[in-house]
């Protein structure tokens, strides 16, 4: 319930009447007159409050909503959380190396590696059962790729040319082509099960269509097999 209070205005009207009546009956030309009129007004206000008090009433308020028990947050699988963390770390490091290495061809290759790495890990996050398929990728290929790019960045930043530096940089540049292809194959391999399922579904559907006579070239609409009569 909500409590409301309605203030009575009648006591104020009585005060107004006291001042009006006093002004008509008695002069208001001295401070004493105003003091007397104010005293009478106070008495009139008190009497008015007693005779016409403020009204208090209650109205039904909106029902309070019951507090719903907070549902505990579902904790993420530790393996999935670790995958997400590894993805963020690897992608962040590849992006940093991409910004640091000015060579446009290598930059494009790093862009590709970054994109495919994100897709590989995202796919396994969505289907954690496939994590064993990328264990070698996560444990060796990805960190070693980042290690090679870091070595290239340090040598390139040295700003000097030498037989060791030039030969190592060339090897890394050649290896990047192989790595881009390897990352693509790793992503493609994750879809092997889906590809097999789709191929099986298509084979079964083709056989059923053939059994029902629904496959093969369709006959002309409204036509019949056999020779056409000529008039």
């Amino acid at each position: 319930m909500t409590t409301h209070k309605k203030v009575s205005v009648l006591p104020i009207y009585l005060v107004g009447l006291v001042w009006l009546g006093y002004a008509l009956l008695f002069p208001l030309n001295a401070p004493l007159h105003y003091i007397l009129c104010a005293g009478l007004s106070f008495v009139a206000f008190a009497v008015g409050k007693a005779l016409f008090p403020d009204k208090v009433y209650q109205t039904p308020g909106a029902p309070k909503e019951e507090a719903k028990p907070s549902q505990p947050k579902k904790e993420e699988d530790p393996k999935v959380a670790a995958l997400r963390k590894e993805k963020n770390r690897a992608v962040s490091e590849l992006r940093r190396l991409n910004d640091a290495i000015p060579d446009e061809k290598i930059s494009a290759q790093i862009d590709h590696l970054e994109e495919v790495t994100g897709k590989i890990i995202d796919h396994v996050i969505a289907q954690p059962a496939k994590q064993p398929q990328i264990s070698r990728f996560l444990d060796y290929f990805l960190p070693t790729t980042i290690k090679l790019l870091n070595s290239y960045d340090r040598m390139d930043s040295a700003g000097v040319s030498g037989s060791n530096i030039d030969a190592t940089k060339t090897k890394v540049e050649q290896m990047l082509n192989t790595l881009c292809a390897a990352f693509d194959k790793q992503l493609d391999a994750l879809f092997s099960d889906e590809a097999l399922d789709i191929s099986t579904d298509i084979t079964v559907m083709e056989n059923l269509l053939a059994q029902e006579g629904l496959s093969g070239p369709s006959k002309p609409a409204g036509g019949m097999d056999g020779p056409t009569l000529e008039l």
Side-chain angles (χ1 to χ4, degrees), residues 9-226:
V9 297
L10 292 177
I12 299 174
Y13 291 159
L14 288 176
V15 171
L17 289 174
V18 167
W19 280 90
L20 180 61
Y22 193 95
L24 292 174
L25 298 175
F26 305 101
L28 283 171
N29 52 12
L32 180 61
H33 299 156
Y34 286 96
I35 294 173
L36 290 173
C37 188
L40 291 173
S41 299
F42 179 79
V43 172
F45 185 82
V47 172
K49 277 291 185 181
L51 296 177
F52 310 103
D54 298 337
K55 292 183 178 180
V56 177
Y57 60 97
Q58 293 181 329
T59 58
K64 290 185 178 179
E65 293 186 1
E66 293 184 3
K68 295 181 180 179
S70 58
Q71 296 182 350
K73 271 190 175 181
K74 187 178 179 181
E75 292 186 4
E76 190 174 38
D77 186 322
K79 291 183 179 179
V80 173
L83 279 173
R84 201 182 303 281
K85 183 178 179 181
E86 177 60 20
K87 174 198 168 185
N88 293 337
R89 185 200 66 79
V91 168
S92 176
E93 182 64 6
L94 286 170
R95 197 164 294 163
R96 183 193 69 79
L97 288 164
N98 198 353
D99 293 338
I101 298 172
D103 186 278
E104 291 185 3
K105 181 181 178 182
I106 295 179
S107 179
Q109 290 171 321
I110 296 176
D111 277 338
H112 185 75
L113 292 173
E114 177 188 330
E115 179 183 2
V116 177
T117 295
K119 289 181 178 179
I120 289 171
I121 300 179
D122 282 341
H123 186 86
V124 177
I125 287 174
Q127 302 183 46
K130 292 187 177 183
Q131 185 167 355
Q133 297 182 38
I134 65 167
S135 58
R136 184 65 63 87
F137 172 81
L138 291 175
D139 295 340
Y140 180 75
F141 294 121
L142 181 57
T144 304
T145 299
I146 293 174
K147 179 182 175 182
L148 290 174
L149 288 169
N150 270 301
S151 299
Y152 185 97
D153 180 39
R154 286 194 299 271
M155 293 181 182
D156 193 55
S157 300
V160 295
S161 180
S163 58
N164 289 326
I165 291 177
D166 293 344
T168 303
K169 287 174 63 179
T170 300
K171 287 181 180 179
V172 174
E173 290 167 2
Q174 293 170 347
M175 190 60 189
L176 282 173
N177 291 323
T178 304
L179 287 170
C180 285
F183 277 42
D184 288 345
K185 287 181 180 179
Q186 177 68 81
L187 178 60
D188 183 68
L190 291 174
F191 289 89
S192 59
D193 293 341
E194 286 90 338
L196 180 61
D197 289 342
I198 291 171
S199 179
T200 302
D201 288 341
I202 290 174
T203 301
V204 172
M205 185 176 288
E206 286 175 341
N207 291 335
L208 288 174
L209 288 171
Q211 290 175 14
E212 298 294 330
L214 299 175
S215 62
S218 58
K219 297 177 182 179
M224 296 186 300
D225 293 334

